[in-house]
Amino acid sequence: MRGTRRRHRTTLVMAFTLIAALGATVPAAADTTPYPFRDPTLPVTNRVDDLLGRLTLDEKISLLHQYEPAIPRLGIQSFRTGTEALHGVAWLGKATVFPQAIGLASTWDPALMEQVGSAVGDEARGFQQQRPDGWGLNLWAPVVNLLRDPRWGRNEEGYSEDPELTGALSTAYGEGLTGGDPDHLKTAPTLKHYLAYNNEVDRATTSSDLRPRVEKEYDEAAFKPAIEADAATGVMTSYNLVNGRPATVNPDLNDVVRTWTDQNLLNVTDAFAPGNLVSPQQYYPTIAEGDAAALKAGVDSFTDNSADPGPTSTAINSALQQGLLKVSDIDKAVSDILSVRVRLGEFDPGGGKYGSIDASVIDSPAHRQLARKAAAEGTVLLKKSASLPLKATQKNVAVVGPLADTLYTDWYSGTLPYAVTPAQGIAAKLKTPVATSEGVDRIALRDTTTGKYVTAGTGDTGAPLQETTNTPTISAQFDAFDWGSGIVTLRSAANGKYVGYNWSNFVNDQTQPNGWYVQQQFKLEQQDDGTYLLKYAGYETSESWWSNPVYLGPTDANGTLGLVPKDQAAHYAKDVVRDGIDDAVTAVKGKDTAVVVIGSMPSINGREAHDRTDLSLAPSQEALVKAVHQANPKTVVIVENSYPTTLGAVQQEVPALLWTSHAGQETGNALADVLYGDVNPSGRLTQTWYQSSSDLPSILDYDIIKSDRTYQYFQGTPLYPFGYGLSYTTFRYGTLKPVAGGYEVPVTNTGTRAGDEVVQLYTHQRTSRDKEPLKQLKAFQRVSLKPGETKTVHLKIQQKDLAHWDVTRSKWVVESGTYDVMAGASSADIRTRTTWQVHGETIPPRNLSRTTRAENFDDYSAVHLVDESKASGTAVGAAADGAWLKFADTQLGAGARTFTARVAGTAAGAIEVRLGSPTGRLAGTVHTAATSSSYDYETVTADLSGAAKGRTDVYLVLTNGLRMSTFSVQ
C-alpha cells in the first residue's frame, strides 16, 4: 500500500494539549473534536482514510480543483496547489531570488542545491504565516524537462540536457524543499512538466514522438530519481501531446510514475490544460469527458478556470451522472490530495514539524549569503587570459554594456528585495566608483511630416506618448536597447521607465519589460527614404485573435500615438542623441580593465510561450564588444543569459570570457568575487554549446538517437562541450581504477590557487545490438583542493547502470562486452580511462512470431507515433507513402508463412513485408480496407513467399495514413 514506507513517528501528544492547540488555529465556529485525522501519532494512511470518510461527495469534488475551499464544519482551511518556487518563492512579494535554474545547475553541486531548496522551502513556510493571495505549500518546482534543444523558450527553467545530471540535481533540490522526511513535509514539490515538453511553438497541439528507447532512457529518466527518492510529491502534466495523446490524459501517470514510489503522489495539470482537451486539442467533445479521462489517467488536481472551481465541479458531477466516473475514482484522487496535506502538518498541532517557521526567514542574511555563493559557483569561465583573475589594486575600471548596471528578473522570478548589479559589485569590491556606460544609443524620433518629436511623461508613472515638441528635449529621448531579431525596447530618458502598450496607449511606466505579452517590444523598420516606421511587436500581436494594426502614428489632434494601419504610420527620422558604442569606448579608454556585460532580456530572448529562432547574440552587442576590445585590449566579457549562445566574433576576439545566468539579487557581488579571485570559478556547462543553429534539427524532433542530439549522440564539433568550464588553477588526474561500488581516481591541484574540480565519469559501450551513446554521464563529484593537494575521488557506478532499453523484449538489459570508462573535466576533456569487461547478456535475434508492438522498431522513416486509443497504447502512423519500419536481426527460421497486423485508417492501404532494406525482396503484401475511424482496428493477414526465412532485417513499408498497433510474422 502506498504511504507505508519510511514512517517517521512523532512523540505522543496528550489529548488536552492537542485540543488546546486546535483552539488557537481553528475558526471558533469549527468542530474542535480531536478526530483521528488530527492525531499526528497515527499513520498517514489511517488519518487520510478517517478524513476521507467524513467528507460528503460534494466536499470531495470541491477538493479536486486547484483552489480547494475551506470546510468549516471540520475546521479545515482552504488550500491551494501551485506556489511557484523555481529559484526562490515567486509572485508573493519580496523574497530571496537565487540564480535561474540553469544557473543553479551549472554549479554541478547537489549539496548546494539541497541548501538552496531548503532555503526556498523555509521562505515558502514563512509566507504561509501570512497566507497571501496565491499562497500554498504545494510548490511547482523543480522543472526537470531535459534541455535537448537550446532554442526552447523555457531553457532558463531547466537544468541540463542530461538525465543523470538532471536527476541528481532535482533530487537534491527536492530534498531541500521537502525537508528529507516524506511523512513530515516542509513543502510538497511538484516536478514539471510530464512529459517530453521542450518546445513552445504550438505547444498545446504539437506531439512529441517518443520511441520507447528515448522515453525510457532519456525523458522518463529525468523524472524518476526525485520521485523514487521521495524528493517530490507528484508531477505536473505538460501542455503538449505525447505520441498523439495529450499529456493531461497520459496513462503513464498511474501506470509508470506511481510505480516509482510507495508514497501517494499528488499529480496536477498545468494551467488551463484541462480545457485544452476540448479546444484546441479537440480530443474530447466535452469538459466532463476530458476531466473524467484525466482523473482516471492519474490526475488528482485540476488547474483550470483560474480561481473558479465551478466548471470543474460541474464537469466531475456530470461525469459521475454519465457513468464516466465512479465515486471510487473521486476517492482515490482525494486520498492523494489529503495524503500530501496531512504530511504537510496542516492537521497537526501548531502546523506540525515545520509549523514554527515564520516570515523572519524571508531574505534572511543567511539566504543572502547562500544566494551569493550559488551565483558565484554557477559562473562558468569559458575563456581565460593571463589578466584573470583581475587585480584589486588596479582600480581604474570601466564596466559597460546593456547589462552592466541593471538586473533583470524572469517570468518565474520572485521580487528582488535588493539588486547588486555587476557595476555595483565591482565598485564595492574595489571600494571605489567605476566608470559605466550601457553602450546603447539614445535616440529621438521626429515625425518627418509634422516636424514634432515623440515625447514621454516625466513623472514616475509616465504618460501616453505624444508628438508635442519641435526640439529633442529630455522628454523626447529614448534609450534603444537592441535584443536581436530586430526587437528593441525604448526606455524613456525622462523617467527611466520603459515604454509599453496598455491596450489603449503607449506609456513609459514599466521598470523593465514584463508581463505575459511583454508589451514593451518594438521594431524600427527602416524605409527606402531613410525614415523609420515604429512597429509594435508585443507578444499578443502574434496571437491568432489579434486583429489590430501594429504600426504607430498620431491618432488625435494632440498627437497621441496609437495603433494605425501601415499606410497611416508616421515616418520618423531617428536622431542619435548619444552613440552608445562611442560612449562605451570613451568610458573604457585608458582603463586598467574593461568589463563588458552583454546578454539577454529574459522576458524577450526566449521565455514561456516563445522559443528562440537562433542562438546568436544581438548584432549591436557583438559590435559593442568588438569596439571596446579595440579601444582597450584588457577586456573581459561577461555573457549573462539563460541558454547556449553561438557568440560569433566575440568568441574569437576577446581574451577572457565568462558566462552567468540571470543570477538574482547577488549577481554583481558574485561576479566581482569571481573576477577578482575571491572565488575560483568552478561552474560547468550543462548543455552543449553548438557552433551554429544549423547543427540542430527541427525543435519538434524529439528523437535524440536518430537525429544525433545532445552530447550523447552529437558527432560534430561543439563551440563548448557538455561539462565544460575552466579554472584559475590546473588539475592533474591519476589512474582511474575500479573499486567496490564504482571507480576512483586521484586528482591533484597542480596550480597556485585553491579550487574546485568537477570530476565527471562517462561510459561508452563499444559494441551493441543497438545504437549507443558516444559518451554517457554516469557519475560526477566536486572536489575542493588546495595548491599541491591530492584527493582520491570516488565515483559510484554499478553494472546495472549500464543498462539500456531492449525493444525486442521491452526490458532493461546490460549487454556483455567491453565498456570504456572515462574520467575527465568535461565530456570532451577526458584525462584518464580504462575498460570494463562486463558479463551481462546477449540480446537474442528478434522473434516476430510473437505479437510485436509496432512502436518497438529499430529504425524508421516517415512515420509518427500515435495514440492507439484515447485511453492507452501507442501505434505507428504512416505520414507518407513508402513509410517504413525496420525490425533488425530477425530470426525467421526455416520460413515464415503468414503476416498478421492490427491496423486502422480511414482510407484503404497496404503493408509490404520486405527483407534486407525498404526496397529489398518483397516477401508479401497485405491490403487493408478503410475502417470507421483511426481508433477502429481490424486484423489483416497475408501469405508470405518462401523468401521469408533465415536471419535478416525485416522492413514493413506502409501507405500514407495507415496506423498499425501490433503485428506478427509466423
Side-chain angles (χ1 to χ4, degrees):
M1 176 179 289
R2 292 194 302 272
T4 61
R5 191 171 61 178
R6 295 207 300 269
R7 296 287 171 218
H8 297 264
R9 301 288 184 257
T10 60
T11 304
L12 181 63
V13 180
M14 296 180 66
F16 67 84
T17 305
L18 175 62
I19 296 172
L22 287 171
T25 58
V26 179
D31 184 347
T32 58
T33 303
Y35 295 120
F37 75 82
R38 293 194 178 278
D39 184 352
T41 68
L42 294 176
V44 172
T45 50
N46 291 29
R47 299 174 71 184
V48 169
D49 290 345
D50 176 70
L51 179 51
L52 183 68
R54 298 180 189 281
L55 298 174
T56 67
L57 180 58
D58 285 343
E59 287 170 341
K60 294 174 185 177
I61 292 172
S62 75
L63 299 181
L64 298 179
H65 189 263
Q66 178 186 20
Y67 288 81
E68 302 174 27
I71 304 175
R73 70 182 185 85
L74 294 175
I76 296 175
Q77 292 183 292
S78 63
F79 185 87
R80 180 187 185 272
T81 62
T83 293
E84 300 293 351
L86 187 59
H87 54 109
V89 180
W91 304 358
L92 298 185
K94 292 181 179 180
T96 307
V97 178
F98 293 95
Q100 291 176 307
I102 185 68
L104 290 173
S106 297
T107 67
W108 287 60
D109 191 342
L112 178 65
M113 293 290 289
E114 184 171 354
Q115 290 178 330
V116 172
S118 182
V120 175
D122 284 348
E123 296 201 11
R125 278 280 175 175
F127 278 109
Q128 179 195 19
Q129 302 291 350
Q130 306 166 18
R131 295 184 67 88
D133 182 43
W135 164 88
L137 290 176
N138 172 235
L139 306 187
W140 287 354
V143 171
V144 298
N145 296 107
L146 293 165
L147 306 182
R148 83 191 154 87
D149 195 308
R151 295 168 297 189
W152 185 31
R154 303 181 75 165
N155 197 85
E156 67 199 29
E157 298 180 35
Y159 288 151
S160 169
E161 68 182 33
D162 180 76
E164 173 70 26
L165 180 58
T166 297
L169 297 179
S170 59
T171 297
Y173 190 70
E175 286 176 341
L177 291 173
T178 64
D181 177 353
D183 286 347
H184 299 89
L185 297 168
K186 181 189 295 185
T187 65
T190 301
L191 304 183
K192 298 163 68 172
H193 312 80
Y194 195 85
L195 185 69
Y197 169 40
N198 198 212
N199 65 273
E200 297 303 293
V201 58
D202 299 328
R203 62 181 180 173
T205 54
T206 54
S207 179
S208 305
D209 281 10
L210 293 186
R211 58 196 284 194
R213 280 196 64 196
V214 175
E215 182 168 8
K216 296 295 183 183
E217 297 174 26
Y218 194 64
D219 287 279
E220 282 183 10
F223 282 83
K224 184 177 181 180
I227 297 292
E228 193 172 47
D230 291 329
T233 58
V235 301
M236 171 189 283
T237 60
S238 52
Y239 285 117
N240 55 294
L241 294 81
V242 177
N243 296 343
R245 182 181 296 106
T248 308
V249 291
N250 188 341
D252 285 358
L253 295 171
N254 278 334
D255 299 343
V256 176
V257 177
R258 294 192 193 274
T259 67
W260 295 336
T261 178
D262 292 331
Q263 290 285 347
N264 287 62
L265 297 178
L266 166 52
N267 295 329
V268 307
T269 74
D270 210 334
F272 302 100
N276 288 347
L277 291 168
V278 176
S279 178
Q281 292 167 343
Q282 299 182 352
Y283 205 70
Y284 290 101
T286 67
I287 293 295
E289 290 168 273
D291 283 5
L295 202 71
K296 294 175 79 170
V299 164
D300 302 306
S301 178
F302 293 84
T303 315
D304 209 7
N305 303 293
S306 299
D308 180 10
T312 296
S313 296
T314 299
I316 296 297
N317 274 303
S318 177
L320 284 168
Q321 293 168 6
Q322 296 177 57
L324 301 173
L325 289 174
K326 300 176 182 177
V327 173
S328 59
D329 297 319
I330 309 298
D331 287 349
K332 178 190 175 299
V334 174
S335 293
D336 292 334
I337 295 166
L338 294 179
S339 174
V340 167
R341 293 181 65 171
V342 166
R343 286 181 277 160
L344 284 168
E346 180 180 346
F347 309 124
D348 292 358
K353 181 176 179 178
Y354 301 101
S356 63
I357 300 174
D358 61 26
S360 65
V361 300
I362 299 173
D363 189 39
S364 66
H367 291 179
R368 291 183 176 191
Q369 285 299 113
L370 185 60
R372 183 170 181 166
K373 175 179 172 63
E377 203 171 294
T379 299
V380 181
L381 179 59
L382 298 175
K383 191 175 180 182
K384 65 178 177 178
S385 67
S387 64
L388 288 176
L390 302 176
K391 297 178 176 62
T393 56
Q394 296 179 331
K395 297 181 180 293
N396 192 12
V397 173
V399 186
V400 302
L403 284 86
D405 204 20
T406 190
L407 294 186
Y408 290 122
T409 55
D410 60 52
W411 179 247
Y412 286 104
S413 173
T415 303
L416 293 169
Y418 61 89
V420 182
T421 70
Q424 291 169 340
I426 292 172
K429 181 72 67 178
L430 298 177
K431 297 181 173 61
T432 189
V434 298
T436 62
S437 168
E438 291 179 311
V440 300
D441 290 344
R442 177 163 288 184
I443 65 173
L445 298 173
R446 175 174 52 85
D447 190 324
T448 57
T449 299
T450 66
K452 293 186 179 296
Y453 285 91
V454 175
T455 60
T458 57
D460 188 60
T461 57
L465 297 192
Q466 292 179 285
E467 294 180 1
T468 63
T469 180
N470 293 102
T471 58
T473 62
I474 192 71
S475 64
Q477 297 175 22
F478 301 89
D479 297 320
F481 290 79
D482 172 20
W483 298 112
S485 301
I487 296 295
V488 299
T489 54
L490 300 174
R491 188 183 64 196
S492 171
N495 69 350
K497 297 292 186 69
Y498 286 86
V499 175
Y501 184 54
N502 64 6
W503 305 101
S504 298
N505 300 113
F506 292 90
V507 182
N508 57 319
D509 61 353
Q510 297 300 310
T511 56
Q512 76 159 58
N514 63 88
W516 182 253
Y517 291 115
V518 193
Q519 295 177 303
Q520 295 78 36
Q521 300 182 84
F522 300 89
K523 291 185 177 183
L524 283 166
E525 295 183 348
Q526 188 169 18
Q527 306 301 295
D528 292 339
D529 61 0
T531 63
Y532 291 84
L533 302 185
L534 185 57
K535 183 178 182 179
Y536 174 55
Y539 279 144
E540 76 270 33
T541 62
S542 62
E543 297 287 338
S544 59
W545 48 262
W546 180 268
S547 59
N548 295 333
V550 293
Y551 288 89
L552 274 66
T555 56
D556 61 24
N558 294 325
T560 302
L561 295 188
L563 293 172
V564 298
K566 186 175 183 178
D567 60 2
Q568 298 176 27
H571 285 246
Y572 292 109
K574 185 178 73 172
D575 298 346
V576 178
V577 179
R578 183 189 65 214
D579 185 285
I581 290 180
D582 288 349
D583 190 63
V585 166
T586 298
V588 304
K589 279 185 176 178
K591 297 296 190 293
D592 296 332
T593 305
V595 178
V596 189
V597 191
I598 57 175
S600 71
M601 200 289 121
S603 286
I604 293 174
N605 298 114
R607 55 151 291 172
E608 183 173 359
H610 299 276
D611 295 315
R612 291 187 298 146
T613 56
D614 61 55
L615 301 175
S616 61
L617 291 168
S620 65
Q621 294 188 13
E622 281 199 50
L624 172 67
V625 171
K626 183 175 183 179
V628 168
H629 182 232
Q630 288 177 344
N632 188 334
K634 294 172 288 187
T635 293
V636 177
V637 174
I638 298 169
V639 179
E640 184 180 337
N641 66 17
S642 315
Y643 41 73
T645 304
T646 51
L647 294 178
V650 172
Q651 165 65 24
Q652 301 298 323
E653 297 178 8
V654 299
L657 184 62
L658 297 94
W659 173 86
T660 179
S661 69
H662 293 279
Q665 62 204 52
E666 286 286 340
T667 297
N669 284 332
L671 286 173
D673 288 343
V674 172
L675 287 172
Y676 287 90
D678 294 320
V679 173
N680 193 339
S682 59
R684 301 292 185 264
L685 299 179
T686 67
Q687 292 177 268
T688 302
W689 284 40
Y690 296 95
Q691 299 271 5
S692 167
S693 56
S694 63
D695 289 331
L696 295 167
S698 166
I699 196 172
L700 301 179
D701 182 348
Y702 279 75
D703 190 346
I704 67 163
I705 299 175
K706 188 174 179 67
S707 60
D708 293 332
R709 301 189 78 144
T710 81
Y711 82 93
Q712 291 191 26
Y713 295 96
F714 181 60
Q715 301 190 45
T717 301
L719 179 66
Y720 292 115
F722 172 81
Y724 176 88
L726 302 177
S727 170
Y728 293 153
T729 190
T730 55
F731 301 96
R732 183 180 67 242
Y733 285 60
T735 301
L736 183 67
K737 296 179 180 179
V739 294
Y743 285 80
E744 66 178 23
V745 58
V747 180
T748 303
N749 183 342
T750 54
T752 60
R753 290 178 174 271
D756 284 10
E757 173 71 329
V758 180
V759 182
Q760 303 163 40
L761 186 77
Y762 296 88
T763 63
H764 168 67
Q765 184 175 344
R766 289 188 179 179
T767 59
S768 173
R769 178 198 180 277
D770 301 308
K771 181 177 178 179
E772 291 295 324
L774 304 172
K775 288 189 185 77
Q776 194 168 14
L777 182 72
K778 293 298 182 182
F780 63 93
Q781 183 70 51
R782 287 181 68 96
V783 56
S784 298
L785 295 167
K786 299 174 183 177
E789 184 180 12
T790 299
K791 289 183 180 178
T792 298
V793 178
H794 297 270
L795 299 157
K796 294 180 180 180
I797 183 174
Q798 301 177 56
Q799 182 169 308
K800 67 181 181 64
D801 299 325
L802 302 175
H804 75 274
W805 189 253
D806 173 20
V807 294
T808 72
R809 296 171 295 172
S810 294
K811 58 176 281 191
W812 291 100
V813 61
V814 177
E815 291 181 281
S816 297
T818 301
Y819 291 71
D820 294 310
V821 184
M822 301 159 280
S826 80
S827 60
D829 186 6
I830 300 301
R831 305 290 184 86
T832 179
R833 66 174 65 220
T834 187
T835 58
W836 186 357
Q837 299 300 323
V838 172
H839 300 289
E841 61 179 300
T842 299
I843 299 175
R846 275 191 183 269
N847 179 4
L848 297 184
S849 66
R850 297 179 301 209
T851 299
T852 300
R853 296 207 63 82
E855 65 180 309
N856 285 326
F857 50 73
D858 291 292
D859 198 4
Y860 62 96
S861 176
V863 301
H864 287 299
L865 292 166
V866 296
D867 50 339
E868 182 178 4
S869 72
K870 289 191 174 184
S872 64
T874 296
V876 172
D881 287 337
W884 55 261
L885 303 173
K886 177 184 178 181
F887 297 87
D889 191 25
T890 295
Q891 180 57 265
L892 297 176
R897 294 289 179 260
T898 306
F899 172 76
T900 304
R902 289 280 293 167
V903 298
T906 55
I911 303 172
E912 296 177 344
V913 181
R914 293 186 176 270
L915 308 177
S917 78
T919 57
R921 182 177 298 181
L922 180 65
T925 301
V926 61
H927 294 280
T928 67
T931 59
S932 59
S933 79
S934 55
Y935 300 118
D936 180 22
Y937 286 82
E938 65 174 16
T939 300
V940 294
T941 62
D943 294 333
L944 300 178
S945 70
K949 61 183 179 179
R951 193 165 172 176
T952 186
D953 296 339
V954 173
Y955 286 79
L956 303 182
V957 183
L958 288 70
T959 53
N960 187 25
L962 189 63
R963 288 185 171 203
M964 178 170 59
S965 62
T966 62
F967 73 96
S968 63
V969 180
Q970 296 178 323

